[in-house]
PDB file of all heavy atoms in Angstrom:
ATOM      1  N   VAL A  98    -136.933 272.592 -95.155  1.00 87.00           N
ATOM      2  CA  VAL A  98    -137.213 273.962 -94.560  1.00 87.00           C
ATOM      3  C   VAL A  98    -136.729 273.931 -93.174  1.00 87.00           C
ATOM      4  O   VAL A  98    -136.501 272.960 -92.612  1.00 87.00           O
ATOM      5  CB  VAL A  98    -138.787 274.318 -94.673  1.00 87.00           C
ATOM      6  CG1 VAL A  98    -139.164 274.424 -96.202  1.00 87.00           C
ATOM      7  CG2 VAL A  98    -139.502 273.281 -93.967  1.00 87.00           C
ATOM      8  N   GLN A  99    -136.684 275.249 -92.638  1.00 86.00           N
ATOM      9  CA  GLN A  99    -136.199 275.465 -91.259  1.00 86.00           C
ATOM     10  C   GLN A  99    -137.423 275.779 -90.309  1.00 86.00           C
ATOM     11  O   GLN A  99    -137.214 275.802 -89.175  1.00 86.00           O
ATOM     12  CB  GLN A  99    -135.201 276.467 -91.165  1.00 86.00           C
ATOM     13  CG  GLN A  99    -133.808 276.201 -91.944  1.00 86.00           C
ATOM     14  CD  GLN A  99    -132.797 277.306 -92.005  1.00 86.00           C
ATOM     15  OE1 GLN A  99    -133.066 278.235 -92.846  1.00 86.00           O
ATOM     16  NE2 GLN A  99    -131.860 277.349 -91.123  1.00 86.00           N
ATOM     17  N   GLY A 100    -138.569 275.936 -90.874  1.00 87.00           N
ATOM     18  CA  GLY A 100    -139.702 276.192 -90.083  1.00 87.00           C
ATOM     19  C   GLY A 100    -141.022 276.109 -91.046  1.00 87.00           C
ATOM     20  O   GLY A 100    -140.960 276.019 -92.208  1.00 87.00           O
ATOM     21  N   SER A 101    -142.080 275.896 -90.156  1.00 89.00           N
ATOM     22  CA  SER A 101    -143.394 275.737 -90.900  1.00 89.00           C
ATOM     23  C   SER A 101    -144.353 276.398 -90.108  1.00 89.00           C
ATOM     24  O   SER A 101    -144.584 276.317 -88.784  1.00 89.00           O
ATOM     25  CB  SER A 101    -143.774 274.182 -90.886  1.00 89.00           C
ATOM     26  OG  SER A 101    -144.876 273.975 -91.648  1.00 89.00           O
ATOM     27  N   ILE A 102    -145.210 277.284 -90.833  1.00 89.00           N
ATOM     28  CA  ILE A 102    -146.226 278.092 -90.244  1.00 89.00           C
ATOM     29  C   ILE A 102    -147.679 277.444 -90.613  1.00 89.00           C
ATOM     30  O   ILE A 102    -147.757 277.160 -91.933  1.00 89.00           O
ATOM     31  CB  ILE A 102    -146.222 279.502 -90.645  1.00 89.00           C
ATOM     32  CG1 ILE A 102    -144.847 280.125 -90.357  1.00 89.00           C
ATOM     33  CG2 ILE A 102    -147.395 280.377 -90.065  1.00 89.00           C
ATOM     34  CD1 ILE A 102    -144.601 281.571 -90.923  1.00 89.00           C
ATOM     35  N   VAL A 103    -148.493 277.187 -89.713  1.00 88.00           N
ATOM     36  CA  VAL A 103    -149.699 276.575 -90.063  1.00 88.00           C
ATOM     37  C   VAL A 103    -150.961 277.401 -89.502  1.00 88.00           C
ATOM     38  O   VAL A 103    -150.899 277.823 -88.202  1.00 88.00           O
ATOM     39  CB  VAL A 103    -149.920 275.218 -89.373  1.00 88.00           C
ATOM     40  CG1 VAL A 103    -151.248 274.539 -89.631  1.00 88.00           C
ATOM     41  CG2 VAL A 103    -148.740 274.196 -89.719  1.00 88.00           C
ATOM     42  N   LEU A 104    -151.708 277.883 -90.432  1.00 88.00           N
ATOM     43  CA  LEU A 104    -152.833 278.720 -90.109  1.00 88.00           C
ATOM     44  C   LEU A 104    -154.031 277.755 -89.992  1.00 88.00           C
ATOM     45  O   LEU A 104    -154.576 277.252 -90.927  1.00 88.00           O
ATOM     46  CB  LEU A 104    -153.170 279.822 -91.158  1.00 88.00           C
ATOM     47  CG  LEU A 104    -152.102 280.773 -91.413  1.00 88.00           C
ATOM     48  CD1 LEU A 104    -152.474 281.624 -92.576  1.00 88.00           C
ATOM     49  CD2 LEU A 104    -151.630 281.577 -90.160  1.00 88.00           C
ATOM     50  N   PRO A 105    -154.533 277.476 -88.710  1.00 87.00           N
ATOM     51  CA  PRO A 105    -155.467 276.476 -88.437  1.00 87.00           C
ATOM     52  C   PRO A 105    -156.876 276.888 -89.046  1.00 87.00           C
ATOM     53  O   PRO A 105    -157.181 278.053 -89.241  1.00 87.00           O
ATOM     54  CB  PRO A 105    -155.468 276.323 -86.970  1.00 87.00           C
ATOM     55  CG  PRO A 105    -155.089 277.636 -86.504  1.00 87.00           C
ATOM     56  CD  PRO A 105    -154.026 278.183 -87.433  1.00 87.00           C
ATOM     57  N   LYS A 106    -157.776 275.826 -89.153  1.00 88.00           N
ATOM     58  CA  LYS A 106    -159.032 276.103 -89.694  1.00 88.00           C
ATOM     59  C   LYS A 106    -159.903 276.760 -88.645  1.00 88.00           C
ATOM     60  O   LYS A 106    -159.735 276.638 -87.500  1.00 88.00           O
ATOM     61  CB  LYS A 106    -159.772 274.758 -90.043  1.00 88.00           C
ATOM     62  CG  LYS A 106    -161.041 274.898 -90.778  1.00 88.00           C
ATOM     63  CD  LYS A 106    -161.582 273.444 -91.106  1.00 88.00           C
ATOM     64  CE  LYS A 106    -162.794 273.676 -92.014  1.00 88.00           C
ATOM     65  NZ  LYS A 106    -163.273 272.288 -92.545  1.00 88.00           N
ATOM     66  N   GLY A 107    -160.599 277.821 -89.044  1.00 87.00           N
ATOM     67  CA  GLY A 107    -161.392 278.576 -88.075  1.00 87.00           C
ATOM     68  C   GLY A 107    -160.580 279.881 -87.596  1.00 87.00           C
ATOM     69  O   GLY A 107    -161.061 280.543 -86.687  1.00 87.00           O
ATOM     70  N   TRP A 108    -159.402 280.075 -88.049  1.00 84.00           N
ATOM     71  CA  TRP A 108    -158.509 281.094 -87.489  1.00 84.00           C
ATOM     72  C   TRP A 108    -159.279 282.616 -87.748  1.00 84.00           C
ATOM     73  O   TRP A 108    -159.299 283.440 -86.994  1.00 84.00           O
ATOM     74  CB  TRP A 108    -157.175 281.160 -88.101  1.00 84.00           C
ATOM     75  CG  TRP A 108    -156.233 282.203 -87.635  1.00 84.00           C
ATOM     76  CD1 TRP A 108    -155.734 282.246 -86.389  1.00 84.00           C
ATOM     77  CD2 TRP A 108    -155.851 283.346 -88.302  1.00 84.00           C
ATOM     78  NE1 TRP A 108    -154.941 283.456 -86.188  1.00 84.00           N
ATOM     79  CE2 TRP A 108    -154.960 284.125 -87.379  1.00 84.00           C
ATOM     80  CE3 TRP A 108    -156.121 283.960 -89.625  1.00 84.00           C
ATOM     81  CZ2 TRP A 108    -154.373 285.333 -87.821  1.00 84.00           C
ATOM     82  CZ3 TRP A 108    -155.580 285.060 -89.929  1.00 84.00           C
ATOM     83  CH2 TRP A 108    -154.703 285.734 -89.072  1.00 84.00           C
ATOM     84  N   GLY A 109    -159.673 282.678 -89.085  1.00 82.00           N
ATOM     85  CA  GLY A 109    -160.251 283.950 -89.381  1.00 82.00           C
ATOM     86  C   GLY A 109    -161.562 284.252 -88.731  1.00 82.00           C
ATOM     87  O   GLY A 109    -161.869 285.337 -88.220  1.00 82.00           O
TER      88      GLY A 109
END
Side-chain angles (χ1 to χ4, degrees):
V98 296
Q99 294 172 279
S101 181
I102 302 170
V103 178
L104 302 180
K106 194 172 183 179
W108 181 75

